[in-house]
Amino acid sequence: MSTLAAPAAPAVRRAWLTDLPVLLVAVVWGASYLAAKGITTTHTVIAVLVLRFAVVLPALMVAGWRGLRALTAPQWRGAATLGLILSGIFLLETYGVVRTSATNAGLIISLTMIFTPFAEAAVTRKRPPRAFLAAAGLSVLGVVLLTQGGGFTRPSAGDGLILLAALARTVHVLAMSRIKAVKDADSLSLTTVQLGSAVAVFAVLAAAGTGASPWSVAADFGAREWAGLLFLSVFCTLFAFFVQMWAVRRTSPSRVSLLLGTEPLWAAAVGIAVGGERLGVVGLVGGVLVVVGTSWGRGAR
């Protein structure tokens, strides 16, 4: 038995060397809700979004300059369209997390994993498996309980915005699969154009006087706020993107997706442990149901 086990050990170590950075991405994404909540108010959402992506965009442009020059006009248009959808996702998520807890935001946004197969089924006219329908029902019940906290109350406006963000993420995934021009585009170039389009939307909104200006917000930031912004920019955007590109070439997309699917667990853990948030018994049961339902749904579809 020892002779059979020995060759497997290096393979296991190599798998973990790939899995750990991806798992770290899930951790930083889970922590991103609390980080965004800590440096953003309703009045500064647009400004923070401009600053967050303006920090990383030059690095992406330099790294992917050759790929950007190689993009065709239809690929530019397709990527820009995806960027407009992406801007809506970030607006909904950021305004939402300001109005709800980081724990709720991280768990509710995971419903994207349920919404997307339903949307695909509607487009292809193929009924989802019964197990998936059961998992979806479990997840929805979990969200209902999660948003109640200590008792049955009206869900907050932030919960509703995060739910809309999950739907917008579904639209983004479907658009990526339906826009033929972007299917063969370089991933780095595609992401750069998308983020550039999103920043352009945020800049227009800022110029129109929607909230505080990026410059005044940047001037008012202290060390804690800049640390939070750099965490969102460098780790949750730049680092996360490159790790995904690196990992998907060394393992299967399904394995990467499974590891990134732990994001809501980390969002809840960080929100409770670091942010001092409390779910209550009803909310805790709801959070568990969301995690179980979305995990079951990934395997059932």
Side-chain angles (χ1 to χ4, degrees):
M1 292 182 65
S2 60
T3 56
L4 293 175
V12 172
R13 284 196 294 270
R14 284 195 298 271
W16 270 108
L17 286 175
T18 302
D19 289 350
L20 283 175
V22 178
L23 193 60
L24 184 57
V25 169
V27 174
V28 298
W29 276 355
S32 68
Y33 300 100
L34 188 62
K37 189 176 181 68
I39 65 171
T40 314
T41 66
T42 304
H43 193 57
T44 63
V45 167
I46 303 297
V48 170
L49 287 172
V50 170
L51 294 171
R52 173 179 175 177
F53 294 108
V55 167
V56 298
L57 195 58
L60 288 173
M61 291 180 67
V62 170
W65 181 247
R66 289 185 180 180
L68 287 171
R69 294 180 62 185
L71 290 178
T72 64
Q75 287 174 331
W76 274 95
R77 287 194 295 270
T81 300
L82 292 173
L84 293 178
I85 301 172
L86 194 65
S87 67
I89 294 170
F90 280 110
L91 286 168
L92 288 167
E93 283 186 357
T94 311
Y95 274 114
V97 80
V98 169
R99 292 173 168 85
T100 189
S101 68
T103 303
N104 276 24
L107 290 167
I108 294 172
I109 202 69
S110 68
L111 287 181
T112 301
M113 291 181 281
I114 296 296
F115 292 155
T116 301
F118 270 121
E120 287 177 338
V123 171
T124 61
R125 298 183 179 179
K126 292 182 180 179
R127 182 183 174 86
R130 290 183 179 179
F132 177 79
L133 295 175
L138 194 66
S139 298
V140 172
L141 175 61
V143 168
V144 171
L145 296 178
L146 174 70
T147 57
Q148 303 314 304
F152 287 96
T153 59
R154 186 176 181 178
S156 71
D159 294 331
L161 289 172
I162 297 296
L163 192 63
L164 289 175
L167 289 169
R169 281 194 182 191
T170 298
V171 172
H172 187 258
V173 171
L174 287 181
M176 287 190 70
S177 66
R178 305 286 290 183
I179 299 176
K180 296 180 179 179
V182 303
K183 289 184 177 179
D184 299 324
D186 172 66
S187 298
L188 176 58
S189 303
L190 181 62
T191 300
T192 303
V193 175
Q194 286 188 77
L195 290 183
S197 301
V199 169
V201 171
F202 304 146
V204 169
L205 291 174
T210 307
S213 73
W215 328 118
S216 63
V217 171
D220 290 339
F221 270 4
R224 185 183 68 85
E225 288 80 12
W226 276 110
L229 181 71
L230 291 175
F231 173 75
L232 291 170
S233 299
V234 177
F235 288 97
C236 300
T237 306
L238 198 60
F239 168 76
F241 168 70
F242 280 111
V243 166
Q244 286 182 84
M245 283 189 62
W246 171 81
V248 81
R249 287 171 170 81
R250 288 163 174 80
T251 186
S252 69
S254 298
R255 190 174 181 89
V256 172
S257 177
L258 185 64
L259 291 166
L260 293 179
T262 63
E263 176 190 345
L265 289 172
W266 300 111
V270 172
I272 294 169
V274 180
E277 298 176 350
R278 294 292 180 266
L279 287 176
V281 175
V282 173
L284 182 60
V285 171
V288 171
L289 290 180
V290 170
V291 172
V292 171
T294 52
S295 299
W296 184 14
R298 282 201 306 273
R301 61 185 176 178

